[in-house]
Amino acid sequence: MVRQINRLTARTVATVKEVGRYADGNGLYLSLSKNGGKRWVFLYRSAGRIREKGLGSAAAVSLKDARLKADEVRKQLSAGLDPINEGRKSQGVMTFAQCAKAYIASHEAGWSNPKHADQWRNTLKTYAEPVIGKVPVNKVDVSHIMNILDPIWRTKTETASRVRGRIESILDWAAVKKYRSSENPARLKGHLDHLLPRRQKVAKVQHHPALPYKDIPAFMADLRTREGTGALALEFTILTAARTNETLGAKWDEIDLESKVWTVPADRMKARVLQAQPLSDRSIEILKSLSTDTEYVFPGNGDNNPMSSMSLLAVLKRMNHSDITTHGFRSTFRDWAAETTEFPNEVVEMALAHTVKNKAEAAYRRGNMLDRRRVLMDAWSDYCSQPVGSPDD
């Protein structure tokens, strides 16, 4: 049966008022919206689903011209092309910089640390955009990537690795959006790893400078003579083996003083998993010494703002310990547990909220081991508080 075409008339187009689609035949429709707007659309099937390509407003495109546009769409379909994708190409492909901006905008709401978006923008602006910022994203190739990475791979290896990964993510996003179709030139495994020396060969992993665990009792004794919320926040961070952002973002509704548990929500944890952290008696003392009239446990400028990480670094500086970082105390805790205690590794790792890569160990650690971790954190607190020069020091 021959499909009927040219069903509509110019009068019908001008007078129809009921919301809906009106078929002219063979894919062309007049679409009338609730607000009275009329436009031409072409419906076709692609990859098992119906797609709709707009052909313009009926106020600007006549019935005759709409049929001519529909003929062009049919020719593209006959040639095996997707009319919507072809339309995007005709409008001009997005540049890499435009794709980078769109990628960051669509992902930053899901990043736990607000600084991540700025880090992405800054590194891409510094290293990638001078080379490929204005290049159409479907034209970015291996030579572009090598021009970006070669100057910094050996001297700024960590930065170069992050830049490469960010470029790879943006180009993958562009491919999903149909802005490019070729292989991702920023892919490392089985691709750039044939052109670049291994990271381990050109740069050693830089660990956060840490205080030797034997020096903790003397350090803690000095810290407890310091005044200010910054000193208390630093001590609390050490006693809980927490990451800096976990402490600074702590809110009072996360603290259960009676049960002596601090529940850190998943969106502030590196592994994106909620962490119930047992609190030692000294940690509870610190919390009870603070005002509960603020949203944040350790407020910064204004009651509704968290303390800055610079406040903790300032405490270390005043104590003549600019050579170590707040994060480094997690390593101090790990070394103390390994060298001086018999706590199982899985208990210590869970106290540090480390992600488990070993599937067997991950299955073993389905629970949160709260009671066992409480014993561990109490022992750590006791060690930090022991008199300087004691036999265990």
Side-chain angles (χ1 to χ4, degrees), residues 307-371:
M307 179 181 292
S308 166
S309 60
M310 296 303 295
S311 298
L312 305 191
L313 293 176
V315 175
L316 290 173
K317 185 177 181 180
R318 290 195 296 270
M319 296 175 67
N320 297 317
H321 278 294
S322 299
D323 56 324
I324 59 178
T325 66
T326 308
H327 193 90
F329 286 102
R330 286 168 54 83
S331 296
T332 304
F333 167 78
R334 187 69 185 85
D335 292 343
W336 163 81
E339 296 288 339
T340 70
T341 78
E342 296 182 356
F343 287 100
N345 178 69
E346 62 268 16
V347 175
V348 178
E349 290 295 288
M350 182 163 279
L352 289 165
H354 280 163
T355 302
V356 183
K357 295 182 180 180
N358 182 286
K359 292 183 179 179
E361 185 178 347
Y364 176 73
R365 280 172 48 184
R366 284 175 184 156
N368 65 14
M369 300 185 186
L370 184 64
D371 291 338

Side-chain angles (χ1 to χ4, degrees), residues 242-250 262 264 268-270 330 353:
R243 295 180 178 89
T244 305
N245 72 296
E246 294 163 11
T247 295
L248 299 183
W262 170 30
V264 188
R268 212 164 66 251
M269 297 298 299
K270 185 176 181 179
R330 286 168 54 83

